[in-house]
Amino acid sequence: MLPTTSQSGLPVPDYLKLHYWWAYVHPKAVRFFERQWLVNLILWGNYNRLRDAALDALGTPLRGDTLQVACAYGDLTPRLVKRMDPSATLDVIDVLPVQLGNLSAKLMPSDRVRLHCMDSTQLTFANQTYDQVLLFFLLHEQPAEVRQRTLNEALRVLKPGGKLILVDYSKPGWFNPFRYLWKPVLMVLEPFAKDLFDKGITHWLPKHHGLTETARQNFFGGVYQLVTLTK
Ligand SMILES: C[S@@+](CC[C@H](N)C(=O)[O-])C[C@H]1O[C@@H](n2cnc3c(N)ncnc32)[C@H](O)[C@@H]1O
């Protein structure tokens, strides 16, 4: 078992309890969802592309100190660890111990990879700690006000010159039939994802964030996006 700073004590955010209990909070959720083919299916066969694009955006080899905000099902983090330079470190936070336990079981023990039970809106890391911060499909799950606080925190812990990498849903192009099919599905299953159809993902960054958008990629006719911002 890899170290975790806290076994719990953190309240489960209301939006997770209300809307995502079936995906993350319920103890059987992990057993059900932790299947590579299933996470790939949920992303309409785009998981590998999105995962690899996120890893490429972080750099090969992965250097410096990286923060992954929230665990993910699938092999994103194990592959990230494989790309780490011998001097690189990785911190992963999640608010749910069950998710950290699941991630821990997918990783080889290493003192350069640390898992922490922490809320994305209240990181306990010092200002300017990380060279890169990754948010992989987290923001669409959070209500707008929580999303804003998560981004504030991500920015606070990022070093000047560091990279913020956001991978998430976006508004599909007008030509994409998913625009009409997918939105109603998301509205039922992922009620806050609609925000990312209506506004650009950077909308929830603090007003004078001072970041420069250094790369942007769209996937699957615009259903997904990867945005890299440099501080
Ligand atoms: C990264 S998101 C979704 C990832 C994607 N669906 C996947 O698994 O590939 C899911 C994770 O976010 C975590 N999470 C949600 N809100 C959080 C918060 N406020 N702080 C930390 N982790 C949070 C959940 O506990 C869950 O483990």
Side-chain angles (χ1 to χ4, degrees), residues 140 168-171 193-199 201 204:
H140 76 277
D168 223 306
Y169 290 105
S170 66
K171 186 179 188 170
K194 175 185 170 295
D195 293 355
L196 300 183
F197 278 62
D198 297 338
K199 297 190 174 92
I201 199 163
W204 294 275

Side-chain angles (χ1 to χ4, degrees), residues 50-166:
L50 290 161
R51 175 203 63 204
D52 291 346
L55 295 177
D56 289 346
L58 286 165
T60 313
L62 178 74
R63 297 187 200 278
D65 301 312
T66 299
L67 173 65
Q68 181 188 329
V69 183
C71 298
Y73 292 130
D75 62 359
L76 171 76
T77 315
R79 284 188 181 242
L80 204 158
V81 170
K82 271 195 193 144
R83 290 193 183 203
M84 283 169 69
D85 183 78
S87 62
T89 71
L90 173 67
D91 288 301
V92 184
I93 71 110
D94 201 286
V95 74
L96 296 176
V98 66
Q99 291 295 329
L100 291 162
N102 179 50
L103 177 59
S104 172
K106 293 189 280 181
L107 300 175
M108 296 289 285
S110 159
D111 54 8
R112 291 183 301 114
V113 181
R114 301 170 291 244
L115 311 190
H116 311 266
C117 194
M118 223 179 261
D119 194 301
S120 63
T121 62
Q122 278 179 291
L123 302 179
T124 58
F125 304 119
N127 295 351
Q128 304 184 359
T129 301
Y130 294 100
D131 298 289
Q132 8 208 22
V133 176
L134 171 66
L135 281 84
F136 189 81
F137 285 99
L138 173 65
L139 295 176
H140 76 277
E141 293 181 349
Q142 300 189 317
E145 175 262 337
V146 177
R147 190 181 303 137
Q148 247 160 7
R149 289 167 60 199
T150 294
L151 285 167
N152 278 346
E153 282 294 88
L155 220 62
R156 179 182 68 73
V157 300
L158 196 62
K159 291 178 186 168
K163 276 193 283 185
L164 175 64
I165 295 158
L166 309 175

